[in-house]
Amino acid sequence: MEKSHNPSQILAILHLSGRLDSFTSPNLKNQIDNEISTGKIDFIINLSQLSYISSSGLMVLLNAQKACNENAGYFYLVEVPDLIMNAFELSGFRKIFLFCKDVDEALELWRQQRNGY
Amino acid sequence: MVTEIYPGEFSSLAAISDFVIEQSASAEFNPKDIYSIQTAVDEACSNIIDHAYGGESLGYIQISIEKINNGIRIVIVDDGQPFNPDEIPLPDTISPLEDRKERGLGVFFMKRLMDEVCYDFSDPNHNTLVMIKLKEQ
């Protein structure tokens, strides 16, 4: 998991890789909590390098979406691999999240929604 | 039939998935089915650690995989407390986000992704879970 540089104080862009399971999900939860504690309210999460997501990984993303809603923030999932999208579909989570093609598309949408950044 | 034994720790999950993927691929499942089988076993093992053992490093997880006619049969054994997932309510996949409860999603995945999911608690010393996945005809 690495963090992209971005000019904003309120937007975090996270790149996930490997497996998001019961072992690794707590790390993502901590990372998101840390971002929120430093003032981030919007998130772009890039899943392009993710090979697997379990129910615990989905719950971390769901709770992050809830936290964003509470902070009036925006939450985007980008470049979700097909097999992983099936898990979102099966869990009924697909209609909860906003999916974008890639980070650039999410950034463009974010700039429109935040209009000013 | 191939059998592997892992420590009941979340750090075992990656190696367990590698084993399941390798065996499913050798049984000639397609990538989507291999991912489904991986998910079902991963969720089952996470539940064993969380619920049967009630924590990490308190026991083992034994996984046996056998190719059967047109599919694969997976037997997972632990010696934790009997944990019957049928007693867990199914997850809420319809309600608005704010109303969702965090439970039952793993078991829901197992049942939806596999053709058969069957628990046997008749042996007082071991819990046995049998899951079967068949190839699409």
Side-chain angles (χ1 to χ4, degrees), chain A residues 52, chain B residues 1 13 16-17 19-20 23-24 27 29 33-48 61-78 83 85-86 105-120 127-135:
Chain A
Y52 173 74
Chain B
M1 188 171 72
L13 293 173
I16 289 170
S17 276
F19 172 53
V20 170
Q23 293 299 314
S24 307
F29 278 97
D33 282 345
I34 292 172
Y35 188 90
S36 296
I37 298 165
Q38 178 192 359
T39 301
V41 174
D42 185 76
E43 298 289 358
C45 293
S46 295
N47 278 341
I48 287 170
I61 300 172
Q62 177 185 302
I63 305 176
S64 302
I65 302 182
E66 180 184 15
K67 286 170 206 167
I68 56 172
N69 188 24
N70 197 40
I72 203 167
R73 183 173 182 270
I74 301 171
V75 181
I76 306 179
V77 177
D78 67 80
F83 156 68
D86 290 337
L105 191 56
V107 172
F108 174 75
F109 278 167
M110 290 159 61
K111 289 179 176 172
R112 283 293 299 270
L113 295 172
M114 302 299 276
D115 291 289
E116 202 171 300
V117 176
C118 177
Y119 283 84
D120 180 359
N127 304 316
T128 304
L129 164 63
V130 180
M131 297 193 287
I132 291 174
K133 180 75 175 173
L134 301 173
K135 283 178 245 182

Side-chain angles (χ1 to χ4, degrees), chain A residues 19-24 26 51-59 62-63 65-67 69-70 83-93 95-97, chain B residues 10-14 17-18 31-33 35 38-40 42-43 46 50 56 92-103 105-106 108-109 112-113:
Chain A
R19 294 167 50 84
L20 192 51
D21 60 14
S22 296
F23 183 55
T24 56
S51 60
Y52 173 74
I53 191 165
S54 74
S55 60
S56 60
L58 288 166
M59 292 313 301
L62 186 75
N63 287 327
Q65 171 76 70
K66 281 186 187 176
N69 289 355
E70 284 162 15
L83 288 172
I84 287 176
M85 190 57 102
N86 287 339
F88 282 93
E89 197 85 64
L90 194 60
S91 58
F93 287 5
K95 51 187 175 294
I96 286 176
F97 294 104
Chain B
F10 293 127
S11 61
S12 298
L13 293 173
S17 276
D18 287 345
K32 190 177 175 200
D33 282 345
Y35 188 90
Q38 178 192 359
T39 301
D42 185 76
E43 298 289 358
S46 295
D50 271 334
E56 292 193 90
D92 178 355
T93 58
I94 297 163
S95 294
L97 172 60
E98 292 69 25
D99 302 334
R100 300 284 179 106
K101 301 286 187 296
E102 298 182 32
R103 64 186 179 200
L105 191 56
F108 174 75
F109 278 167
R112 283 293 299 270
L113 295 172

